Amino acid sequence: MKLDTSGLESTSPFFGSGDELCPELSAAPSFSLPLSTDFDEFQKDTKATLKHAKGTTTLAFIFKEGVMVAADSRASMGGYISSQSVKKIIEINPYMLGTMAGGAADCQFWHRNLGIKCRLHELANKRRISVTGASKLLANILYSYRGMGLSVGTMIAGWDETGPGLYYVDSEGGRLKGTRFSVGSGSPYAYGVLDSGYKFDMSIEEAAELARRAIYHATFRDAASGGVASVYYVGPNGWKKLSGDDVGELHYHYYPVTPSTVEQEMAEVAGA
Amino acid sequence: MTKQHPAWSPYDNNGGTCVAIAGADYCVIAADTRMSTGYSILTRDYSKICKLADKCVMASSGFQADVKALQKLLAARHLIYQHQHNKQMSCPGMAQLLSNTLYYKRFFPYYSFNVLGGLDNEGKGCVYTYDAVGSYERVGYSSQGSGSTLIMPFLDNQLKSPSPLLLPAQDAVTPLSEAEAVDLVKTCFASATERDIYTGDKLEIVVLNKGGIHREYMELRKD
């Protein structure tokens, strides 16, 4: 299909054919074009690396009692489900959790590395590291590997001296402090349920149920999410795993099958 | 400028399939012995299984040159561990060592799809499954390699163990006996050989239990 690129063409004369003394004045503003006729294939590989389909659903939010963290457990390699039991909530230390989205090996390795750094901080400074500090350590490491193809979309959730803390850190080098995050291909669905049901003054059970439902709905609609919905709570005494439910079973728990009246019953045919 | 694609690749895929199943007090690790490149068979008698420690055996499919390099590295690291600690490395320990070794080459990976099997510190069977860059998890059973997409659904059907993430926690190891597990593995490979061109020739089965290591072979289709 021949594209109509007339709108992109510059109205000014080409280099050299205009007034040589001040070429900038005669040139009208125009887009510089790549030196190729096939615009769709141009830098396709580079563009593909920028779009990370982090096939997963993870979420975390701060509420009155602390931080609630939840995730699914599916790992996909293209269209193949390589595992339904991946631990996406990583226990960095007894009072801090990290979530995994993106490359499984990248998340596992760097979270473990973060745990080591946090422990070294404790030994060197005789006090626990803050969530702010831990997330900064991770963000700085990821920033130094920026552009090299790491894929990490993680949330660091914990309880330190200032109370509950939640940070979003990714492999592009981004680090955001916040109260509500969801990361992964299923995050739009999780946000829908999470945002509409969120209240700061929730009890732990209510918050856990909200988190569980949000993950369930994301696994229902997102093909790349599924398995087991794990829910963790982080409080002043550290984290505690509240539940781990198979999302297939959760479906029938939320939407039980009501037996409907049979209209016509098929009669058994005597042997022909 | 359209991107220049390199004419030479440092990687090759030698095919093959590996399986491991963990039991209550045993572990079965199996792999076929065919080594191929493209549509040619290089040899019908190549072992993909390597004993890393007394209670830890690794099976790897993918690019066998990278597999060989990985096996040598791990064997060397295990030797150092034995000199420093005066004991064999445990299977969970070796599992993490393998994960870190794979990740250290994150930007030029080992083209090796591994499955680690052995007995944990309590004598229960354990299987660890890996991707090419080191992400790992402990599972009740796993398969890797060219025939894994054929074998995995069958193992899910026969062995489906409750996820270790469920709360309250349920045991992941299969209730099958050792003989039943070996039989299941033979069935897996017989079927995979039918439908995967890279799997066949011979099957090598290694069984690890408290009595030690036991190895057996089974013929597979050679076509």
Side-chain angles (χ1 to χ4, degrees), chain A residues 162-206:
Chain A
T162 61
L166 179 61
Y167 282 83
Y168 164 76
V169 177
D170 69 23
S171 46
E172 320 303 299
R175 174 174 166 266
L176 297 170
K177 183 174 162 75
T179 48
R180 230 158 50 226
F181 288 114
S182 176
V183 183
S185 57
S187 63
Y189 309 107
Y191 271 129
V193 175
L194 179 59
D195 289 339
S196 61
Y198 177 82
K199 285 192 302 292
F200 183 76
D201 312 298
M202 281 190 288
S203 68
I204 296 176
E205 289 79 35
E206 284 175 321

Side-chain angles (χ1 to χ4, degrees), chain A residues 35 45 73 80 83 85-87 104-106 108-110 112 145 148-150 228 241-246, chain B residues 1 3 5 96 99-100 103-104 106-107 131 133-137 139 148-149 152-153 163-167:
Chain A
L35 300 166
D45 298 308
S73 69
Y80 181 70
S83 175
S85 56
V86 176
K87 267 193 84 167
D106 293 333
Q108 270 186 11
F109 184 87
W110 290 112
R112 189 151 194 281
Y145 284 99
M148 295 180 75
L150 291 187
V228 168
K241 180 162 183 176
L242 295 180
S243 69
D245 302 293
D246 185 292
Chain B
M1 268 283 268
K3 185 173 176 184
H5 289 283
Q96 192 157 292
S99 170
N100 286 331
Y103 199 82
Y104 283 140
R106 168 65 174 79
F107 300 113
D131 70 1
V133 278
S135 110
Y136 78 117
E137 63 166 315
V139 287
S148 66
T149 49
M152 241 358 217
S163 170
L165 298 172
L166 290 172
L167 203 71

